Amino acid sequence: MIRKPTLWKRFRKRLWKISKWGLGFLGVALISGYVFVRYDYLTAADDLEYQESLARQNGFHLTAEDMKPRPPVKPEENAAPTYRRMIASIKAVPDIERGFTYLDLLSAASAPGDDNLKAARAGIEVYTRAIELAKAASAKP
């Protein structure tokens, strides 16, 4: 009399078959993923050169050397020092000037009144120098 294998033996046998197929599929997936990534990296180098040449044809700056103005800007025409002075003057302003906060300056336009008008005038006095420097810098190259 031939005995039927137990449930556990049948389960182990099927599990082994399934795991072999699963490992095979996993191996194929890993190898195909590796091949795809390698192919993508190999073709990216050629694509980069093409994209750089296309960008240069369209006038885009790719390096710091490309961004230098030709001919160079004269020191007296350079706007960078003026912008630096403007930023320094804004940073030098304390948060509260003459008892008014920055929120008072923002609400001056939306809620007219004597206090808000005083806050707006104080803000204008504080930022007038920065605005003058910004106008002077915008006139330079």
Side-chain angles (χ1 to χ4, degrees):
M1 174 175 174
I2 299 176
R3 290 177 43 188
K4 191 175 180 182
T6 62
L7 181 65
W8 176 245
K9 283 187 178 183
R10 284 185 294 168
F11 177 72
R12 279 188 10 207
K13 195 173 188 181
R14 286 191 181 156
L15 186 64
W16 176 244
K17 286 181 181 178
I18 292 171
S19 65
K20 284 193 295 188
W21 278 101
L23 288 174
F25 283 132
L26 181 64
V28 169
L30 288 174
I31 290 171
S32 62
Y34 175 76
V35 168
F36 174 75
V37 168
R38 292 299 300 166
Y39 173 77
D40 196 34
Y41 281 140
L42 289 175
T43 57
D46 295 335
D47 192 42
L48 177 64
E49 292 171 3
Y50 169 72
Q51 293 295 335
E52 284 180 347
S53 68
L54 191 63
R56 282 197 174 90
Q57 287 174 3
N58 289 324
F60 289 102
H61 303 297
L62 300 178
T63 63
E65 188 65 32
D66 294 342
M67 291 182 196
K68 288 185 179 178
R70 310 261 191 266
V73 178
K74 296 175 185 171
E76 61 270 4
E77 293 179 1
N78 193 355
T82 310
Y83 282 120
R84 286 190 199 106
R85 285 197 311 268
M86 179 190 70
I87 291 169
S89 70
I90 291 173
K91 286 182 179 178
V93 174
D95 288 339
I96 298 174
E97 182 71 25
R98 297 184 192 163
F100 299 109
T101 64
Y102 183 70
L103 292 174
D104 291 334
L105 296 176
L106 291 178
S107 65
S110 62
D114 290 337
D115 291 338
N116 288 338
L117 185 61
K118 289 178 186 176
R121 285 189 180 136
I124 289 171
E125 289 174 15
V126 168
Y127 294 109
T128 299
R129 178 70 181 144
I131 293 170
E132 290 170 359
L133 288 171
K135 286 180 183 177
S138 67
K140 295 180 179 182

